[in-house]
Amino acid sequence: MIKFANIIKKYNKLEVLKGIDAEIQTGKVTSIVGPNGSGKTTLIKIILGLVKADFGSVEIDGKKINGDYDYRGNIGYMPQIARYPENLTVYEVLTMIKDLRNRKDHPEEKLIKDFELSGELTKAIRTLSGGNRQKLSAVIALMFDPQILIFDEPTAGLDPVISNRFKEMVFVEKKKGKTIILTSHIMSEVEELADEIIFLLDGKIYYKGSLQNLLIEKGEVKLEKAVAKILEERALWN
Ligand code: ADP
């Protein structure tokens, strides 16, 4: 379980997160939702230790993460836009990552088949299509079988077959008891995958709880409509 307690983050004068308290449960898919600039990526980066909160704490399975980065070995992260050394081949990137982890086995083999990347292994990163880069990022996130998986807009650029396969994998990982965090602009995808929602708005949590309860609260059947309603209401307050 990941627990945020009173997380505050400012970039200069801009207060992006204004005291976030939330829990992300094990064995569930939690989707962080909110308009552009609402702090979703910042919150994810705080879990990853890539951004330091100004105040508050993050606990993973009861242990505060401050200053100790060993826990990151147990997180698979698929960023929105991944950067790899452009002149290396896909095979070389995977080998480099395995070397860094001191792994001599081939944890990536099945994933390469599932994501249909076999034909791309000898290609340089700079020649890969956006979709194939995404697929490589998915392989890297999943290959060491981490307990926590963080997917930031994972299906952007994936074709429908692979996108579907990816979603099936998310279900499999969830059944294995993983803690899974997902951000997506595709509300139907959030509906398909998420058990829990954390809705960020203006630096605060507007809603946290089950997807079903959010729909009931808003009197909507579809998440997209519920989200639109929330944002329209907010426009009226401001
Ligand atoms: P989201 O992922 O919800 O779109 P972000 O967490 O990326 O939101 O950004 C939240 C706000 O913080 C935005 O206004 C963004 O411009 C600002 N921001 C993000 N990263 C930085 C940074 N490194 N320096 C300054 N401002 C930043």
mmCIF file of all heavy atoms in Angstrom, residues 29-52:
data_model
loop_
_atom_site.group_PDB
_atom_site.id
_atom_site.type_symbol
_atom_site.label_atom_id
_atom_site.label_comp_id
_atom_site.label_asym_id
_atom_site.label_seq_id
_atom_site.Cartn_x
_atom_site.Cartn_y
_atom_site.Cartn_z
ATOM 1 N N VAL A 29 -6.295 -1.425 -9.104
ATOM 2 C CA VAL A 29 -5.819 -0.404 -10.038
ATOM 3 C C VAL A 29 -6.410 0.924 -9.582
ATOM 4 O O VAL A 29 -7.632 1.067 -9.476
ATOM 5 C CB VAL A 29 -6.263 -0.702 -11.489
ATOM 6 C CG1 VAL A 29 -5.823 0.424 -12.423
ATOM 7 C CG2 VAL A 29 -5.711 -2.043 -11.970
ATOM 8 N N THR A 30 -5.527 1.874 -9.285
ATOM 9 C CA THR A 30 -5.973 3.212 -8.877
ATOM 10 C C THR A 30 -5.634 4.175 -9.998
ATOM 11 O O THR A 30 -4.489 4.223 -10.453
ATOM 12 C CB THR A 30 -5.256 3.644 -7.587
ATOM 13 O OG1 THR A 30 -5.596 2.717 -6.558
ATOM 14 C CG2 THR A 30 -5.673 5.055 -7.166
ATOM 15 N N SER A 31 -6.632 4.908 -10.436
ATOM 16 C CA SER A 31 -6.381 5.873 -11.500
ATOM 17 C C SER A 31 -6.337 7.280 -10.917
ATOM 18 O O SER A 31 -7.227 7.687 -10.179
ATOM 19 C CB SER A 31 -7.480 5.767 -12.558
ATOM 20 O OG SER A 31 -7.128 6.559 -13.650
ATOM 21 N N ILE A 32 -5.252 7.986 -11.247
ATOM 22 C CA ILE A 32 -5.159 9.397 -10.854
ATOM 23 C C ILE A 32 -5.694 10.205 -12.025
ATOM 24 O O ILE A 32 -5.182 10.115 -13.144
ATOM 25 C CB ILE A 32 -3.709 9.785 -10.509
ATOM 26 C CG1 ILE A 32 -3.183 8.879 -9.385
ATOM 27 C CG2 ILE A 32 -3.634 11.253 -10.087
ATOM 28 C CD1 ILE A 32 -1.723 9.105 -9.021
ATOM 29 N N VAL A 33 -6.769 10.930 -11.760
ATOM 30 C CA VAL A 33 -7.484 11.641 -12.814
ATOM 31 C C VAL A 33 -7.501 13.124 -12.460
ATOM 32 O O VAL A 33 -7.452 13.485 -11.285
ATOM 33 C CB VAL A 33 -8.945 11.103 -12.896
ATOM 34 C CG1 VAL A 33 -9.739 11.785 -13.981
ATOM 35 C CG2 VAL A 33 -8.959 9.598 -13.122
ATOM 36 N N GLY A 34 -7.565 13.969 -13.480
ATOM 37 C CA GLY A 34 -7.676 15.412 -13.234
ATOM 38 C C GLY A 34 -7.299 16.156 -14.495
ATOM 39 O O GLY A 34 -6.630 15.590 -15.362
ATOM 40 N N PRO A 35 -7.715 17.415 -14.586
ATOM 41 C CA PRO A 35 -7.393 18.173 -15.804
ATOM 42 C C PRO A 35 -5.890 18.388 -15.960
ATOM 43 O O PRO A 35 -5.124 18.150 -15.024
ATOM 44 C CB PRO A 35 -8.121 19.511 -15.596
ATOM 45 C CG PRO A 35 -8.470 19.571 -14.159
ATOM 46 C CD PRO A 35 -8.493 18.181 -13.621
ATOM 47 N N ASN A 36 -5.477 18.837 -17.130
ATOM 48 C CA ASN A 36 -4.058 19.117 -17.366
ATOM 49 C C ASN A 36 -3.549 20.076 -16.310
ATOM 50 O O ASN A 36 -4.235 21.040 -15.951
ATOM 51 C CB ASN A 36 -3.855 19.789 -18.739
ATOM 52 C CG ASN A 36 -4.181 18.845 -19.866
ATOM 53 O OD1 ASN A 36 -4.041 17.633 -19.723
ATOM 54 N ND2 ASN A 36 -4.613 19.390 -20.988
ATOM 55 N N GLY A 37 -2.360 19.803 -15.828
ATOM 56 C CA GLY A 37 -1.752 20.715 -14.858
ATOM 57 C C GLY A 37 -2.266 20.535 -13.444
ATOM 58 O O GLY A 37 -1.946 21.326 -12.560
ATOM 59 N N SER A 38 -3.052 19.470 -13.193
ATOM 60 C CA SER A 38 -3.614 19.320 -11.848
ATOM 61 C C SER A 38 -2.650 18.633 -10.884
ATOM 62 O O SER A 38 -2.962 18.479 -9.704
ATOM 63 C CB SER A 38 -4.952 18.581 -11.896
ATOM 64 O OG SER A 38 -4.787 17.318 -12.495
ATOM 65 N N GLY A 39 -1.494 18.186 -11.373
ATOM 66 C CA GLY A 39 -0.480 17.646 -10.457
ATOM 67 C C GLY A 39 -0.330 16.126 -10.482
ATOM 68 O O GLY A 39 0.353 15.563 -9.638
ATOM 69 N N LYS A 40 -0.948 15.474 -11.471
ATOM 70 C CA LYS A 40 -0.897 14.003 -11.535
ATOM 71 C C LYS A 40 0.549 13.510 -11.676
ATOM 72 O O LYS A 40 0.999 12.650 -10.929
ATOM 73 C CB LYS A 40 -1.728 13.481 -12.732
ATOM 74 C CG LYS A 40 -3.179 13.926 -12.702
ATOM 75 C CD LYS A 40 -3.960 13.381 -13.867
ATOM 76 C CE LYS A 40 -3.583 13.939 -15.223
ATOM 77 N NZ LYS A 40 -3.900 15.371 -15.421
ATOM 78 N N THR A 41 1.255 14.083 -12.652
ATOM 79 C CA THR A 41 2.634 13.639 -12.896
ATOM 80 C C THR A 41 3.517 13.978 -11.705
ATOM 81 O O THR A 41 4.377 13.185 -11.318
ATOM 82 C CB THR A 41 3.180 14.307 -14.183
ATOM 83 O OG1 THR A 41 2.258 14.021 -15.226
ATOM 84 C CG2 THR A 41 4.539 13.774 -14.566
ATOM 85 N N THR A 42 3.285 15.136 -11.099
ATOM 86 C CA THR A 42 4.074 15.523 -9.915
ATOM 87 C C THR A 42 3.890 14.488 -8.808
ATOM 88 O O THR A 42 4.864 14.053 -8.191
ATOM 89 C CB THR A 42 3.662 16.931 -9.444
ATOM 90 O OG1 THR A 42 3.864 17.836 -10.533
ATOM 91 C CG2 THR A 42 4.456 17.399 -8.256
ATOM 92 N N LEU A 43 2.658 14.065 -8.584
ATOM 93 C CA LEU A 43 2.391 13.082 -7.533
ATOM 94 C C LEU A 43 3.103 11.757 -7.850
ATOM 95 O O LEU A 43 3.725 11.148 -6.971
ATOM 96 C CB LEU A 43 0.873 12.872 -7.393
ATOM 97 C CG LEU A 43 0.383 12.186 -6.137
ATOM 98 C CD1 LEU A 43 0.821 12.921 -4.876
ATOM 99 C CD2 LEU A 43 -1.130 12.026 -6.141
ATOM 100 N N ILE A 44 3.045 11.346 -9.109
ATOM 101 C CA ILE A 44 3.728 10.106 -9.517
ATOM 102 C C ILE A 44 5.237 10.248 -9.307
ATOM 103 O O ILE A 44 5.892 9.349 -8.796
ATOM 104 C CB ILE A 44 3.401 9.786 -11.001
ATOM 105 C CG1 ILE A 44 1.968 9.264 -11.114
ATOM 106 C CG2 ILE A 44 4.380 8.769 -11.571
ATOM 107 C CD1 ILE A 44 1.518 9.052 -12.538
ATOM 108 N N LYS A 45 5.767 11.405 -9.692
ATOM 109 C CA LYS A 45 7.218 11.601 -9.559
ATOM 110 C C LYS A 45 7.649 11.632 -8.097
ATOM 111 O O LYS A 45 8.774 11.272 -7.772
ATOM 112 C CB LYS A 45 7.642 12.882 -10.278
ATOM 113 C CG LYS A 45 7.647 12.689 -11.786
ATOM 114 C CD LYS A 45 8.210 13.892 -12.498
ATOM 115 C CE LYS A 45 8.381 13.588 -13.980
ATOM 116 N NZ LYS A 45 8.672 14.835 -14.735
ATOM 117 N N ILE A 46 6.755 12.061 -7.222
ATOM 118 C CA ILE A 46 7.075 12.041 -5.787
ATOM 119 C C ILE A 46 7.192 10.584 -5.311
ATOM 120 O O ILE A 46 8.101 10.241 -4.565
ATOM 121 C CB ILE A 46 6.032 12.854 -4.984
ATOM 122 C CG1 ILE A 46 6.259 14.350 -5.258
ATOM 123 C CG2 ILE A 46 6.120 12.551 -3.492
ATOM 124 C CD1 ILE A 46 5.209 15.272 -4.695
ATOM 125 N N ILE A 47 6.299 9.715 -5.804
ATOM 126 C CA ILE A 47 6.410 8.288 -5.430
ATOM 127 C C ILE A 47 7.743 7.737 -5.918
ATOM 128 O O ILE A 47 8.412 6.974 -5.232
ATOM 129 C CB ILE A 47 5.271 7.440 -6.054
ATOM 130 C CG1 ILE A 47 3.899 7.959 -5.660
ATOM 131 C CG2 ILE A 47 5.424 5.967 -5.643
ATOM 132 C CD1 ILE A 47 2.759 7.276 -6.389
ATOM 133 N N LEU A 48 8.121 8.142 -7.123
ATOM 134 C CA LEU A 48 9.339 7.604 -7.734
ATOM 135 C C LEU A 48 10.615 8.221 -7.161
ATOM 136 O O LEU A 48 11.712 7.785 -7.495
ATOM 137 C CB LEU A 48 9.313 7.846 -9.245
ATOM 138 C CG LEU A 48 8.261 7.057 -10.019
ATOM 139 C CD1 LEU A 48 8.069 7.657 -11.392
ATOM 140 C CD2 LEU A 48 8.675 5.600 -10.129
ATOM 141 N N GLY A 49 10.461 9.245 -6.346
ATOM 142 C CA GLY A 49 11.640 9.929 -5.805
ATOM 143 C C GLY A 49 12.294 10.835 -6.826
ATOM 144 O O GLY A 49 13.426 11.271 -6.632
ATOM 145 N N LEU A 50 11.593 11.156 -7.909
ATOM 146 C CA LEU A 50 12.152 12.049 -8.927
ATOM 147 C C LEU A 50 11.869 13.507 -8.583
ATOM 148 O O LEU A 50 12.525 14.411 -9.086
ATOM 149 C CB LEU A 50 11.563 11.733 -10.314
ATOM 150 C CG LEU A 50 11.853 10.332 -10.860
ATOM 151 C CD1 LEU A 50 11.098 10.081 -12.153
ATOM 152 C CD2 LEU A 50 13.354 10.153 -11.092
ATOM 153 N N VAL A 51 10.844 13.712 -7.772
ATOM 154 C CA VAL A 51 10.520 15.049 -7.274
ATOM 155 C C VAL A 51 10.398 14.918 -5.758
ATOM 156 O O VAL A 51 9.861 13.920 -5.266
ATOM 157 C CB VAL A 51 9.189 15.562 -7.891
ATOM 158 C CG1 VAL A 51 8.634 16.741 -7.123
ATOM 159 C CG2 VAL A 51 9.360 15.911 -9.359
ATOM 160 N N LYS A 52 10.911 15.914 -5.050
ATOM 161 C CA LYS A 52 10.825 15.852 -3.587
ATOM 162 C C LYS A 52 9.699 16.771 -3.118
ATOM 163 O O LYS A 52 9.642 17.928 -3.533
ATOM 164 C CB LYS A 52 12.176 16.304 -3.006
ATOM 165 C CG LYS A 52 12.377 15.843 -1.595
ATOM 166 C CD LYS A 52 13.799 16.090 -1.130
ATOM 167 C CE LYS A 52 14.029 15.696 0.312
ATOM 168 N NZ LYS A 52 12.945 15.878 1.241
#
